[in-house]
Amino acid sequence: MRPSDPPPSSAAPQTGTTRVKRGLADMLKGGVIMDVVTPEQARIAEEAGAVAVMALERVPADIRRDGGVARMSDPDMVDGIIEAVSIPVMAKARIGHFVEAQVLQSLGVDYIDESEVLTPADEAHHIDKWRFDVPFVCGATNLGEALRRLAEGAAMIRSKGEAGTGNVVEATRHMRAIAGEIRRLTTMDETELYAAAKEHRAPVELVRECAETGRLPVVLFTAGGIATPADAAMMLQLGADGVFVGSGIFKSGNPEQRARAIVEATTHFEDPGVIAKVSRGLGEAMVGINLDTLPEDQKYAQRGW
Amino acid sequence: MSSTFVPDRWIPGERLTGRLPATEQTLADGELAAPLVGVLALQGDVLEHLRALRRVGARAVQVKTAAQLAEVDALVLPGGESTTIGKLLVRFELLAPLQARIADGLPVLATCAGMILLSDELDQVEPQPLVGGLHVRTRRNAFGRQLDSFDTRLEVVGIDGGPMDVAFIRAPRVEEILADDVEVLASVDGYPVVVRQGLLWAAAFHPEVTGDDRLHAAFVATVRGA
């Protein structure tokens, strides 16, 4: 694990520091990041109030439908989306595929998502994210997984959920797991923290930091299955700092209106009156998949180690 | 004897423990006279500003509604995504009340996205909702994309004790000053990055993420004197 950067000692600007990597995620808090596959969708997302867009070739629901190997997007598509909007642009690399990450950094994306939604390129190793100046967000299903990603240099965490299902149950499970495990750490004494680090298979320094601060050292978003304004607000009430919405917007009946509604519900996540108001007349949500009918080998959340 | 200020409810970025809000503030007797500073809480790094304001002795609350806006003695426009915050100001009918309060002399400290929102004009073709009031033309993402975001130390006029420790994250800068009463307090590459126009203060960087509270302290001191 790399220690945090010392404060700059001269006026010479320093890029790629842990502080500016984590800092960009801080600026996204309370916001919605939307999956987009075309410049036109990116403009719709920006107009709806997205704080950032995630550029990818197919939304997770289509990756499920089409099957095959899912990879990093065509650079032309990423460039087109960067051109289309003024908000930050994120893009996905396969787990462990450090060359896809190098390519995305060279394209100037603002964040890379090392994502289980794409087909993993390495079944043992994630990308060594400290080697990059661009910040990374990674998925996690529990606290140990989140801390292992931080040890590899991730600057932001998202709970995984089960992408492309329109079913929020896995996102709920992962948010409750991460928040609950942190709450347990806060009640432990120093000796117990060593055992907890072993149990979570995570560096004790990071475990201790969570115990002291009562949260992850980075911003925690949620992802995977969010389809309605109420889903988004529920995730914030469970302790998410913001939400990623993938298939839930552009696989619904009225993407513009649904995207706006999810943004507004995320801002007023504790006000059921606002959530009710923005939920009216949204049209069809994406159909959704029940998790018990999903074959084991199609559960993306199990990817990553 | 002390009185406990009513803590905010959970705010993005806050502890997940529920029982012990880190933002709870205990003020000594007499400090109830401390200024009540709101942080616009539609999106962005609201929590960092609340904490910085409390560290420098202000009472700080989040502002999400026109009723909350009416109560505060001063306002912080935080970092975040300026297009998102601007659209939410319009949709939740906060833009006109905020513009009215600023016209009435509400002190405002704006950082990064906040600086964009407080500007009268932007250096771009695409329209986006602005609060305005600060007579400058500002350029968004003026230093480049995230790969160009940087940490640095910067001398700021009126801030004693050496250069400030600051982070510029997809930061804006002032391209042109549009009125004589705008003072430039700091510049990078010849472009203003901290400006002050009476009670309106704006910084292109994020003093709230580095723990260097001197700009907040100077702002709160001005509010106390206003």
Side-chain angles (χ1 to χ4, degrees), chain A residues 11 17 29 110 241 264 267, chain B residues 13 48 64 91 145 151-152:
Chain A
T17 63
K29 283 186 299 201
D110 297 297
D241 297 326
E264 291 167 19
T267 291
Chain B
E48 285 77 3
K64 283 192 177 187
R91 289 186 209 161
R145 305 190 64 84
D151 283 327
T152 193

Side-chain angles (χ1 to χ4, degrees), chain A:
Chain A
M1 208 190 111
R2 199 175 78 165
S4 5
D5 311 286
S9 55
S10 72
Q14 295 175 27
T15 56
T17 63
T18 298
R19 200 163 78 182
V20 298
K21 286 176 172 177
R22 293 182 177 183
L24 178 58
D26 277 320
M27 301 312 143
L28 304 175
K29 283 186 299 201
V32 182
I33 300 168
M34 302 182 192
D35 278 3
V36 297
V37 301
T38 62
E40 182 53 30
Q41 287 186 355
R43 278 187 286 266
I44 290 171
E46 182 175 47
E47 190 51 40
V51 291
V53 291
M54 175 73 70
L56 72 173
E57 208 150 58
R58 291 175 286 171
V59 294
D62 288 336
I63 293 173
R64 282 188 190 286
R65 191 196 59 207
D66 301 345
V69 174
R71 311 178 178 89
M72 176 189 79
S73 300
D74 185 319
D76 276 345
M77 195 277 274
V78 176
D79 281 349
I81 288 170
I82 287 175
E83 280 296 305
V85 294
S86 63
I87 57 180
V89 175
M90 302 183 166
K92 287 183 193 286
R94 283 181 266 178
I95 289 174
H97 206 314
F98 50 88
V99 175
E100 285 189 348
Q102 291 165 5
V103 170
L104 291 173
Q105 175 168 284
S106 79
L107 295 177
V109 303
D110 297 297
Y111 242 92
I112 294 176
D113 183 0
E114 187 182 17
S115 178
E116 70 283 359
V117 169
L118 305 184
T119 308
D122 189 324
E123 293 193 331
H125 310 93
H126 282 251
I127 297 169
D128 177 358
K129 293 165 275 285
W130 296 118
R131 291 169 179 269
F132 290 80
D133 286 331
V134 65
F136 281 74
V137 55
C138 288
T141 59
N142 56 45
L143 179 62
E145 199 175 354
L147 297 182
R148 288 194 292 280
R149 296 296 84 77
L150 292 182
E152 295 156 2
M156 178 180 181
I157 296 292
R158 56 174 174 77
S159 64
K160 282 181 177 171
E162 192 57 47
T165 62
N167 185 339
V168 82
V169 65
E170 292 299 296
T172 305
R173 187 194 318 280
H174 301 154
M175 275 308 303
R176 283 198 182 277
I178 293 168
E181 285 157 358
I182 289 174
R183 280 191 282 271
R184 278 190 284 284
L185 291 184
T186 64
T187 65
M188 292 181 184
D189 72 12
E190 185 68 15
T191 312
E192 290 167 329
L193 289 177
Y194 290 104
K198 200 166 128 189
E199 181 194 326
H200 289 301
R201 295 188 291 132
V204 70
E205 294 79 11
L206 289 174
V207 168
R208 192 180 291 123
E209 190 173 352
C210 292
E212 282 166 7
T213 59
R215 56 165 294 115
L216 290 178
V218 301
V219 165
L220 170 64
F221 268 45
T222 194
I226 286 104
T228 70
D231 288 348
M234 180 179 171
M235 291 301 118
L236 268 85
Q237 289 196 25
L238 285 172
D241 297 326
V243 297
F244 285 86
V245 186
S247 320
I249 290 173
F250 290 102
K251 285 288 162 188
S252 73
N254 185 343
E256 291 88 349
Q257 197 187 346
R258 183 166 295 268
R260 273 181 61 142
I262 291 174
V263 168
E264 291 167 19
T266 300
T267 291
H268 285 283
F269 65 94
E270 284 186 316
D271 188 336
V274 171
I275 301 164
K277 188 176 162 200
V278 303
S279 299
R280 290 174 196 277
L282 283 186
E284 266 180 69
M286 68 178 287
V287 175
I289 299 172
N290 285 318
L291 271 295
D292 48 11
T293 62
L294 196 64
E296 284 301 307
D297 65 346
Q298 288 178 30
K299 290 187 176 167
Y300 297 158
Q302 295 172 357
R303 297 170 170 175
W305 7 92

